[in-house]
Amino acid sequence: KAPASLDSGKLYALVTAGRAWQTEFGNPARPHRRRRARTSHGGTLADQSALSGVKVMVIDDSNTIRRSAEIFLLQAGCTVILAEDGFDALAKIADHQPDIVFVDIMMPRLDGYQTCALIKHNKVFRNIPVIMLSSKDGLFDRARGRIVGSEHYLTKPFTKEELLGAIDTHIG
């Protein structure tokens, strides 16, 4: 049964053990029907076979953001590498050599700016596109991201289309 704080008839997503479940509270027997999201060029995201096999690293201290991004990316056929912070990411980047990196700005120990700068100052990894993720949408935050070498900036919460669009733009 849905908690009293959730509105009946609204769609909610639940992420458990890496799997996404969507249901409409008030009618839990009827799962939400999936629809293909439209891209800006009129095709469907499922048609973007160019994303199949693309290795994407998502660095965020929020388990919810990591899992949401993972679900979106797996649905598009990407290989996903998850990291909890900059130190975790730097340990994994050499092993997995991702094609693109999404990094949260606000993280403990090593923040997104520092992580991006370390990636961009390494001659082996400097050509990997780095996309900054933040709940802030200020001009200063965007400019600071550019200074350390990021190619793009996404504001959280992001949509599946924004996430895949950034990959399509920077991977090709």
Side-chain angles (χ1 to χ4, degrees), residues 20 22 31-36 75:
Q22 291 181 329
H32 177 66
R33 287 187 211 167
R34 288 193 221 187
R35 289 174 294 226
R36 290 186 177 187
Q75 288 174 349

Side-chain angles (χ1 to χ4, degrees), residues 5-92:
S5 63
L6 299 177
D7 295 330
S8 179
K10 290 201 174 177
L11 178 68
Y12 293 91
L14 173 67
V15 179
T16 57
R19 295 189 65 173
W21 304 89
Q22 291 181 329
T23 188
E24 192 175 320
F25 288 111
N27 189 1
R30 183 175 161 261
H32 177 66
R33 287 187 211 167
R34 288 193 221 187
R35 289 174 294 226
R36 290 186 177 187
R38 294 275 170 199
T39 61
S40 59
H41 63 281
T44 61
L45 292 173
D47 295 336
Q48 292 183 354
S49 61
L51 297 182
S52 181
V54 172
K55 285 192 222 174
V56 181
M57 178 176 275
V58 179
I59 312 166
D60 201 304
D61 58 329
S62 165
N63 189 43
T64 304
I65 295 294
R66 282 194 317 271
R67 294 297 174 208
S68 297
E70 180 182 33
I71 290 165
F72 294 156
L73 295 167
L74 288 174
Q75 288 174 349
C78 297
T79 301
V80 183
I81 304 119
L82 300 175
E84 293 181 12
D85 60 31
F87 284 118
D88 187 24
L90 294 174
K92 292 179 179 179

Side-chain angles (χ1 to χ4, degrees), residues 119-137:
I119 292 169
K120 292 300 183 175
H121 284 86
N122 183 304
K123 61 183 172 187
V124 175
F125 306 120
R126 72 172 44 136
N127 293 325
I128 297 173
V130 177
I131 312 300
M132 305 301 280
L133 300 173
S134 180
S135 54
K136 299 180 190 178
D137 193 20

